[in-house]
Amino acid sequence: LMVCGLSPLANSACVGVKRSTNRTPFASATSLIASVYSLRFLFRGAAWGMPYSRWLAAVAGALLALATASAWAQNVAGRFLTVIGDVRVLSPGGDRRPEREGEVREGETILTGAGALTQIRLADGGMLSIRGDTEMKFDRFSHAGENDRDSSMFISLLKGGFRSVTGLIGRLNRDGYRVTTPSATIGIRGTDHEPVVVPPPPPGVVPQVPPGT
């Protein structure tokens, strides 16, 4: 914040930091490109005789914007292929209704209403098909490419269920794939699995299986 106030150029770079948190791929790419061009302009400014203190503050702001935009882009867990019915994504910035080809990121929660369905193509090539009346969160998603043996995906499934076809993470690092429910933690034993959390039934209804299963 101190860097942002030192010069107009630093302020413009800090605008890039704020815009990099936008939830659309176009905005993230725009922020990244703008930061690169800001650096190019600032280095030219040094040659044109810009005061050293202003130049240093502006470069620091542009570098911060570039680093933030790059780090944000790496946290994309996947993209929505299908959105049917009441589907919402909860994030630190609020909630939104996802659109086809829209992104879902590490730290975000997906909520589906009764009868809803959404399908996600994960960044590692895997697939998720999330049924209605489900609440699940991407606690962690880290994948840097086909040679990343430290890649990982941790999901919390609070209610409902989904079908998963694992991608590269499941093949490269099985210990890095985990689904946590209120009563159990599930690892990988194959490429296709379908965890479901059974909620408590309404009063007077006898459950077919113990709630929380």
Side-chain angles (χ1 to χ4, degrees):
L1 291 176
M2 292 178 64
V3 171
C4 291
L6 287 177
S7 72
L9 286 173
N11 286 337
S12 67
C14 289
V15 171
V17 176
K18 296 174 182 177
R19 287 179 179 172
S20 69
T21 60
N22 193 290
R23 300 296 176 174
T24 65
F26 175 77
S28 297
T30 300
S31 175
L32 191 60
I33 293 170
S35 300
V36 171
Y37 274 89
S38 294
L39 284 175
R40 181 181 177 186
F41 176 77
L42 292 171
F43 280 111
R44 285 184 178 178
W48 293 340
M50 180 189 296
Y52 180 73
S53 60
R54 289 184 60 201
W55 175 84
L56 185 62
V59 168
L63 286 173
L64 179 61
L66 181 62
T68 303
S70 299
W72 184 249
Q74 292 172 355
N75 288 333
V76 175
R79 297 181 183 275
F80 289 91
L81 298 180
T82 303
V83 179
I84 300 173
D86 181 17
V87 180
R88 289 181 295 148
V89 178
L90 304 184
S91 67
D95 66 344
R96 68 185 188 277
R97 175 175 167 78
E99 298 180 353
R100 191 173 182 273
E101 294 299 327
E103 296 174 348
V104 61
R105 299 176 181 275
E106 177 184 88
E108 294 187 325
T109 298
I110 298 175
L111 294 175
T112 61
L117 171 70
T118 186
Q119 295 178 324
I120 298 172
R121 169 70 71 180
L122 298 171
D124 71 335
M127 287 280 295
L128 285 181
S129 182
I130 304 171
R131 63 168 60 190
D133 201 22
T134 293
E135 180 178 354
M136 58 161 286
K137 179 181 180 181
F138 284 98
D139 295 313
R140 177 176 174 81
F141 192 94
S142 174
H143 179 65
E146 59 183 11
N147 296 319
D148 182 11
R149 296 191 174 276
D150 294 322
S151 58
S152 59
M153 180 172 71
F154 299 157
I155 292 176
S156 289
L157 179 60
L158 303 179
K159 69 174 183 176
F162 62 85
R163 180 182 179 187
S164 174
V165 178
T166 57
L168 286 174
I169 293 177
R171 294 195 288 271
L172 295 173
N173 184 19
R174 288 194 171 189
D175 291 337
Y177 186 107
R178 186 169 67 214
V179 178
T180 301
T181 73
S183 60
T185 298
I186 305 168
I188 283 188
R189 293 296 180 269
T191 58
D192 187 339
H193 60 280
E194 190 170 357
V196 177
V197 173
V198 179
V205 177
V206 177
Q208 296 181 349
V209 295
T213 300

